[in-house]
Amino acid sequence: MTGLPTGLPVVTTASDLAAHLEPMRAGGGTVGFVPTMGALHDGHASLVDASVAATDATVVSIFVNPLQFGAGEDLDAYPRDLEADVARCAAHGATVVFAPTVDVMYPDGEPSEGGRILPGPVDMSLAGPLEGRERPTHFAGVAEVVARLFRIVGPCRAFFGQKDFQQLQVVRHLVAEMDLPVDVVGCPTVREPDGLARSSRNVYLTDDERAAAPVLYRTLQAAAASVAEPGWDRTAVEATMAAAISAEPTGHLDYAVVVDPATLHPPEAPQPGDELRLLVACRFGKARLIDNVGAVAG
Ligand code: PAF
């Protein structure tokens, strides 16, 4: 256990974490868990708040998981500031920070196919489209580390942001598939006043890119209003979204889609009142930003 100035315990091993949680569990207390890769912002803080409000003890993990970064992605550049992160966790009432090393999470080295703890490959119907197309190994890496973290933390309510909507659905599927004693809670996206979703990657934006980036949320809101109209057409809505985002010269669109939230594939014969999810991904310079909103079909 390391002592950072806040007094909040920071543990690095599974056994130290268990030593913190076991007495509390023995007394009937519930555990909340907020998995993160650090570089904590108001979005993470809102997850900690949700956990603190709903459970008796909140674990925040801080681990930049190499397995979920592809070749050429920003693993080395990913922002890291443990001291500031711990201070933020303390200010929001977390109970303990779990900040393992790569050796603790992957004692046998970074696992290849055979060394994974997942019972099978990650479900590609959920992990394959959207982010999975751009980042083919990403969700296998997320699922592996999340499964390992759940095993270490034990029975808990786990709080994930809806900004990473596809990740949330992959994790929900993983929990059901592995029958884990984890209640997954999806929490609303936290935004800047101009609508930009909070993200650790926003620090990569130049001033011009930052000024342009709110186009994503504006476009999602306009599209949510369009799909609520009777007679809406998915292809036309997606084309309008793509055109609005592509009109920003600093942005390079990856996708702008309307999907069924349960499958992440185009909705089949949507009926009025059906829930939909609208998702976008766009590169602004070094930052690849994603965002999404829920909508109801008209
Ligand atoms: O959303 C994140 O920060 C990460 O993907 C997670 C869930 C902590 C796994 O590394």
Side-chain angles (χ1 to χ4, degrees), residues 35-37 63 65 68 142 145-146 160 164 167:
T36 82
M37 297 207 300
F63 177 65
N65 173 33
Q68 68 189 75
V142 170
V145 81
V146 168
F160 288 80
D164 296 299
Q167 167 172 281

Side-chain angles (χ1 to χ4, degrees), residues 23-286:
M24 202 268 320
R25 274 200 177 106
T30 55
V31 173
F33 176 39
V34 180
T36 82
M37 297 207 300
L40 303 185
H41 49 69
D42 288 356
H44 297 110
S46 76
L47 303 179
V48 177
D49 291 343
S51 174
V52 168
T55 66
D56 298 314
T58 291
V59 181
V60 180
S61 68
I62 297 178
F63 177 65
V64 182
N65 173 33
L67 222 57
Q68 68 189 75
F69 289 79
E73 290 187 11
D74 57 346
L75 173 61
D76 293 336
Y78 199 81
R80 292 163 169 87
D81 187 347
L82 184 62
E83 202 161 323
D85 289 345
V86 173
R88 199 181 268 264
C89 291
H92 285 264
T95 311
V96 55
V97 168
F98 177 53
T101 59
V102 172
D103 288 347
V104 166
M105 290 310 296
Y106 301 117
D108 303 318
E110 286 179 29
S112 53
E113 280 311 308
R116 292 179 186 263
I117 70 162
L118 296 177
V122 63
D123 173 357
M124 287 314 281
S125 77
L126 282 178
L130 309 173
E131 290 304 286
R133 195 163 311 147
E134 183 67 17
R135 311 178 70 192
T137 57
H138 174 66
F139 287 117
V142 170
E144 181 68 20
V145 81
V146 168
R148 286 178 188 233
L149 288 166
F150 284 163
R151 188 162 69 174
I152 291 170
V153 174
C156 63
R157 296 188 81 183
F159 296 80
F160 288 80
Q162 288 176 346
K163 183 181 77 71
D164 296 299
F165 189 77
Q166 189 172 9
Q167 167 172 281
L168 178 62
Q169 299 305 62
V170 168
V171 169
R172 284 193 164 126
H173 181 83
L174 167 92
V175 164
E177 191 76 346
M178 292 179 78
D179 200 16
L180 297 174
V182 176
D183 176 20
V184 176
V185 184
C187 299
T189 301
V190 177
R191 301 182 178 280
E192 303 282 355
D194 62 8
L196 178 64
R198 303 263 170 149
S199 163
S200 305
R201 291 189 164 100
N202 290 351
V203 297
Y204 299 150
L205 295 168
T206 63
D207 289 349
D208 284 352
E209 291 158 0
R210 173 66 188 80
V215 69
L216 301 183
Y217 186 51
R218 278 201 309 276
T219 301
L220 286 165
Q221 283 179 303
S226 299
V227 302
E229 297 288 335
W232 66 282
D233 173 72
R234 181 178 62 82
T235 317
V237 172
E238 291 180 347
T240 304
M241 291 166 83
I245 295 171
S246 301
E248 281 297 341
T250 52
H252 298 277
L253 180 72
D254 276 343
Y255 58 78
V257 295
V258 181
V259 300
D260 176 336
T263 65
L264 301 176
H265 288 270
E268 282 174 28
Q271 301 300 309
D274 280 0
E275 296 212 350
L276 301 166
R277 205 82 196 172
L278 282 44
L279 300 99
V280 296
C282 183
R283 243 171 237 288
F284 290 91
K286 281 194 229 145

